Amino acid sequence: MAHEPLALEPADRRMERETNTWSLSAADADRSSLSVAEVVAAFERTAAAIRERIRDLGFSGVATFYVWHDEQAGQLRCSTGSVPADALPFGGSHVASGDLGPIVEGFLAGSEPGFIARSDLDDGHSLSEQTETEPEIVPFSVWVSSVGASRHGSCPVHTDE
């Protein structure tokens, strides 16, 4: 990912997302062979390499590398955008974090998409009982690392400097 095409176009955020967003999957056997520390270290190296690329490109603006666990797809996803950590392009409720460990841990503990554990199946309650209270929407965590020359935003940002 650190050496793949990289687009930093503040005027065209859609193009940035399409070019810079990556999805990473792993079979259950592969998940069990990986450690949280190994995956976190790999993403930290990726952020450092992207930071260097951005400096070499002479881009002087704000840029953020960010990672999140897409639970529905069973994937870790990452992207780079010319946005501060407090302006990531998510429609849902999220919280920027400086700690990647819990995000990776959730991914490694998950299962392949399309697999539903028997314990997660409906327990026989009627639909009317299930809809009496709306489920609470819990924000998902997104690890952020400032990789641009300029830093902006009030959210915690991980840097190697």
Side-chain angles (χ1 to χ4, degrees):
M1 291 175 289
H3 303 291
E4 295 296 330
L6 178 66
L8 295 171
E9 294 292 334
D12 192 349
R13 306 275 189 212
R14 181 173 166 232
M15 191 265 294
E16 277 187 350
R17 281 190 306 274
E18 290 174 2
T19 303
N20 300 342
T21 302
W22 298 92
S23 300
L24 306 159
S25 300
D28 287 340
D30 293 329
R31 290 173 197 251
S32 64
S33 70
L34 295 168
S35 75
V36 171
E38 290 171 321
V39 177
V40 166
F43 276 115
E44 288 174 342
R45 286 190 305 270
T46 300
I50 290 171
R51 187 177 299 112
E52 288 301 316
R53 282 185 66 195
I54 289 172
R55 286 182 184 151
D56 291 346
L57 290 171
F59 182 77
S60 61
V62 172
T64 303
F65 175 70
Y66 51 103
V67 178
W68 71 100
H69 176 206
D70 182 333
E71 292 184 37
Q72 289 182 327
Q75 299 172 333
L76 276 178
R77 295 192 179 183
C78 61
S79 191
T80 304
S82 58
V83 296
D86 60 358
L88 298 177
F90 291 109
S93 181
H94 67 283
V95 61
S97 172
D99 188 1
L100 180 56
I103 296 168
V104 171
E105 188 175 321
F107 168 72
L108 293 178
S111 60
E112 292 181 70
F115 175 79
I116 300 173
R118 181 173 290 274
S119 62
D120 291 339
L121 293 174
D122 187 300
D123 63 2
H125 292 296
S126 71
L127 182 59
S128 63
E129 290 175 24
Q130 291 176 354
T131 58
E132 284 180 14
T133 60
E134 290 293 320
E136 181 181 339
I137 297 175
V138 178
F140 62 95
S141 292
V142 180
W143 179 73
V144 295
S145 180
S146 177
V147 293
S150 175
R151 288 187 170 82
H152 170 75
S154 59
C155 294
V157 177
H158 176 272
T159 63
D160 293 329
E161 299 171 341

